[in-house]
Amino acid sequence: MNPFECYKALLDQSGTVAKRFLPDASQRIAGLREKVEERKIHVMLFGAYNAGKSTLINTLLGAERAVVGDIPTTDAVQAFDWGGHILLDTPGVNAPIEHEVVSREALKRADLIVFVLRQEDQDAQDIVNRILDLLVEKRPLFVVLNYEDSDPAVIELVQRQFAQTLLRHASARNFSEAELQAVPVILMNIKTACRARLEGKTLLLEHSRYDVFIARFQQWLQQYDNEKKLLATTLTSIEATLLKPVLAVMEQESPAKGELAELDYYVEHLKREHHLLTQAATNKIRAELSMRRPAIGAVLDHATTAESVAADLAEIAQSVSQVIQVWLEKELETFQRERINTALREAGLDPEKYANLNESELLDKLVGPILSQLKGVNKDYLTKLLVWGRSLKIPGLKGRWLKTLEVWAGRAAPVLQIVFSLAEVAMAARGEEQENERNRRQALQRSQWIEEICGELQVGLTQSVTEVVNLVTEEQLRPYESKRVELQRTASQLEIDRAAWIDLSARFSAVSF
């Protein structure tokens, strides 16, 4: 299922529990569901009232859509569709208190933040602290310093003073210069830029530094304009708007965690560890395939038939799978050993005393009264923990590659033609512009083919690794799941709700492409 569809399904499931703890749960869920359906990045304009946020939106839109005034005029969030993004115009910082509340709530749901401040606000401690607070929260931030004086010397002074102010306040809060340098800060005369956009005056637009702003702004947006990052920012919004607030209310109603809650937190931790293992495996696969790009290119360069392409690629695929299998076995064995050591410590035993024993010796030592002390561990389960890594095999790998490569072989004819054409071009008159253009075009096609091959290999290997990690997870969770069912029979409604909410939160976190 598409991960965004998974989010919608999970949001639908969240209502029953959420409504018992948040009076506005329905509205929150509806807003999040609408956002998931849009699948667009939400860019919030934030800053002091009358700083130029609404004017900047009108500048980007090239039309007077957002309300502009000298007094606080925006008392609710207004959304504008711009180039596949949603621009959010919000009440200003230091505006009337009810406006401030609206801004804070919108800030939780925003994906990206454009902080707009006026020339005279650059030294305001409250404004600078707001910027630093956002950096502490690791929020993606773009700063626009709205100046009015057109004298270049004044503009340079404004820029230098702001940098010094930001650095001074940051040093007091232990920020590094590198963290600040990562935040884009662009100076622009927003009012002049807006007038130039509305009236179509190119020279005036350049004078306002809009061209500098828009080039850097679009580059910044591109960092977040892909599906995976959109999925991550969507999860952040769901956590901030729904998952964490509900859990916080639960903690207030019953701050002391019972046995069921402790168990659920442990299970959540275990699932998260396995999720991180899957991510690490994905990165390892990507790195291994990257190293083999030259080899894949060489296969294409020296190909004679579609069958030879398939055979050579199968050999490369198997070499990658073997590396990944050895790596995964080592990672899982290390992980299982740590799990066993944890179980021994819980039983009051020193893991160092058993570190050099083999599997059969360790089992002999643990059978009897000592084994019965190990929480959630029985002999069969402990045996699986000890030998899992050595018996690990990636399921269905060989058959998967054969099927994939058969498809490639069927599509190889046009690719081979590209390779042969490249060879012909190399031997022909390379100085002619037409031949060089043909060479570049076909080289691009070849590059795209290599990219497609690596993509196919990565998908197949990642699926295999995920299958293995899921099997390990199921084995490790089995004794805890039975204990969980037993505890739920005597648990209070709050404990049951908390357990369900933690499980739901874990399922949100596990959603991926």
Side-chain angles (χ1 to χ4, degrees):
M1 181 187 292
N2 180 288
F4 291 96
E5 293 299 318
C6 290
Y7 277 168
K8 286 196 290 186
L10 291 172
L11 284 170
D12 290 341
Q13 296 172 28
S14 68
T16 303
V17 174
K19 290 173 186 176
R20 289 202 278 268
F21 297 92
L22 293 178
D24 62 342
S26 296
Q27 294 92 319
R28 294 186 186 220
I29 292 170
L32 289 170
R33 203 178 192 287
E34 183 179 347
K35 182 175 181 178
V36 171
E37 288 174 347
E38 286 176 351
R39 292 173 65 171
K40 294 180 180 179
I41 294 285
H42 285 60
V43 183
M44 176 180 169
L45 278 78
F46 191 52
Y49 71 86
N50 202 30
K53 301 185 299 297
S54 300
T55 305
L56 178 54
I57 286 180
N58 289 336
T59 304
L60 290 167
L61 297 175
E64 292 185 293
R65 300 270 303 282
V67 179
V68 177
D70 293 330
I71 60 174
T73 54
T74 306
D75 59 0
V77 178
Q78 298 176 338
F80 304 90
D81 201 319
W82 173 73
H85 301 79
I86 302 296
L87 302 176
L88 301 175
D89 193 12
T90 57
V93 173
N94 300 334
I97 186 64
E98 63 274 13
H99 294 196
E100 182 94 11
V101 172
V102 173
S103 293
R104 284 201 302 267
E105 287 301 313
L107 191 62
K108 294 177 183 177
R109 297 188 290 271
D111 300 313
L112 310 177
I113 302 162
V114 176
F115 200 107
V116 183
L117 67 158
R118 296 167 296 193
Q119 179 176 330
E120 59 266 31
D121 288 334
Q122 62 168 314
D123 291 322
Q125 181 173 342
D126 179 56
I127 297 296
V128 174
N129 280 334
R130 300 267 188 163
I131 293 173
L132 296 177
D133 287 343
L134 293 170
L135 294 180
V136 169
E137 297 171 8
K138 306 296 184 184
R139 303 298 298 276
L141 184 65
F142 190 103
V143 176
V144 179
L145 182 50
N146 184 14
Y147 69 89
E148 296 179 1
D149 198 310
S150 59
D151 185 342
V154 175
I155 295 172
E156 182 181 349
L157 179 62
V158 169
Q159 190 168 25
R160 186 169 64 251
Q161 287 178 338
F162 178 69
Q164 291 172 346
T165 301
L166 195 60
L167 188 58
R168 184 172 66 253
H169 287 282
S171 299
R173 297 176 61 171
N174 296 321
F175 273 93
S176 67
E177 288 190 38
E179 289 177 290
L180 296 179
Q181 289 170 356
V183 179
V185 178
I186 301 297
L187 275 74
M188 178 171 57
N189 188 319
I190 297 177
K191 190 174 182 179
T192 300
C194 187
R195 182 159 63 90
R197 282 275 285 163
L198 295 177
E199 298 176 4
K201 296 182 178 180
T202 304
L203 291 178
L204 188 61
L205 200 62
E206 293 178 2
H207 181 71
S208 69
R209 292 175 53 89
Y210 177 79
D211 56 337
V212 176
F213 159 76
I214 196 63
R216 185 67 183 92
F217 186 52
Q218 290 178 334
Q219 183 186 43
W220 180 71
L221 288 175
Q222 287 173 2
Q223 300 176 60
Y224 307 95
D225 279 353
N226 65 57
E227 292 284 89
K228 287 188 177 180
K229 286 183 177 176
L230 180 54
L231 191 70
T233 54
T234 302
L235 177 60
T236 299
S237 294
I238 292 172
E239 288 176 337
T241 306
L242 185 66
L243 299 180
K244 291 180 179 178
V246 169
L247 189 59
V249 176
M250 290 177 174
E251 298 290 354
Q252 289 175 356
E253 293 189 7
S254 179
K257 296 182 179 67
E259 191 175 358
L260 179 59
E262 294 288 352
L263 183 63
D264 283 327
Y265 276 109
Y266 179 79
V267 168
E268 181 190 14
H269 173 74
L270 193 61
K271 289 180 178 178
R272 185 165 56 249
E273 288 295 320
H274 283 132
H275 179 63
L276 292 175
L277 178 60
T278 304
Q279 289 181 321
T282 300
N283 293 334
K284 176 71 173 176
I285 291 167
R286 187 182 296 113
E288 289 293 328
L289 290 172
S290 179
M291 289 191 294
R292 285 167 177 77
R293 285 176 183 271
I296 294 173
V299 168
L300 297 180
D301 291 342
H302 300 95
T304 54
T305 65
E307 289 73 19
S308 69
V309 170
D312 290 342
L313 289 177
E315 187 174 341
I316 292 174
Q318 289 296 342
S319 71
V320 176
S321 69
Q322 288 168 5
V323 170
I324 297 302
Q325 179 173 328
V326 171
W327 175 87
L328 187 58
E329 287 176 356
K330 183 178 178 181
E331 290 294 315
L332 284 172
E333 186 172 2
T334 301
F335 186 77
Q336 308 294 32
R337 286 284 182 182
E338 183 55 38
R339 290 272 297 108
I340 293 167
N341 289 344
T342 299
L344 292 172
R345 292 189 193 99
E346 289 179 352
L349 304 175
D350 182 6
E352 294 297 326
K353 294 181 179 179
Y354 304 92
N356 297 320
L357 299 179
N358 60 35
E359 285 87 346
S360 59
E361 291 174 322
L362 179 57
L363 285 173
D364 289 340
K365 292 282 187 181
L366 295 178
V367 169
I370 294 179
L371 182 62
S372 65
Q373 298 177 51
L374 300 181
K375 298 179 181 179
V377 179
N378 56 44
K379 183 177 179 180
D380 292 338
Y381 177 57
L382 188 57
T383 303
K384 289 179 181 178
L385 286 178
L386 289 167
V387 302
W388 191 285
R390 300 194 179 191
S391 63
L392 176 65
K393 293 293 182 291
I394 296 181
L397 187 61
K398 185 175 180 180
R400 175 171 292 146
W401 293 137
L402 290 177
K403 291 178 182 177
T404 302
L405 294 171
E406 285 172 3
V407 175
W408 285 342
R411 298 189 317 219
V415 179
L416 293 178
Q417 186 59 48
I418 290 172
V419 175
F420 299 148
S421 298
L422 284 171
E424 292 172 3
V425 169
M427 292 181 291
R430 299 178 65 88
E432 296 183 13
E433 184 177 348
Q434 184 178 5
E435 291 298 330
N436 282 337
E437 177 60 30
R438 181 186 179 202
N439 188 20
R440 286 192 293 271
R441 184 176 65 252
Q442 292 180 333
L444 177 61
Q445 289 176 286
R446 173 181 177 274
S447 176
Q448 291 171 340
W449 179 247
I450 293 174
E451 188 68 33
E452 183 178 347
I453 291 172
C454 289
E456 292 276 2
L457 290 172
Q458 182 168 330
V459 169
L461 268 172
T462 301
Q463 288 176 344
S464 294
V465 169
T466 302
E467 288 174 10
V468 174
V469 175
N470 286 344
L471 285 173
V472 174
T473 305
E474 290 174 8
E475 285 296 324
Q476 292 188 336
L477 290 179
R478 188 169 290 119
Y480 300 101
E481 290 297 339
S482 58
K483 179 66 174 177
R484 190 170 183 266
V485 171
E486 178 184 337
L487 290 173
Q488 282 183 323
R489 295 195 187 100
T490 57
S492 66
Q493 184 61 52
L494 177 59
E495 289 178 307
I496 293 173
D497 284 343
R498 188 189 340 225
W501 199 252
I502 290 174
D503 180 65
L504 184 72
S505 300
R507 283 190 284 156
F508 268 110
S509 299
V511 172
S512 62
F513 281 95

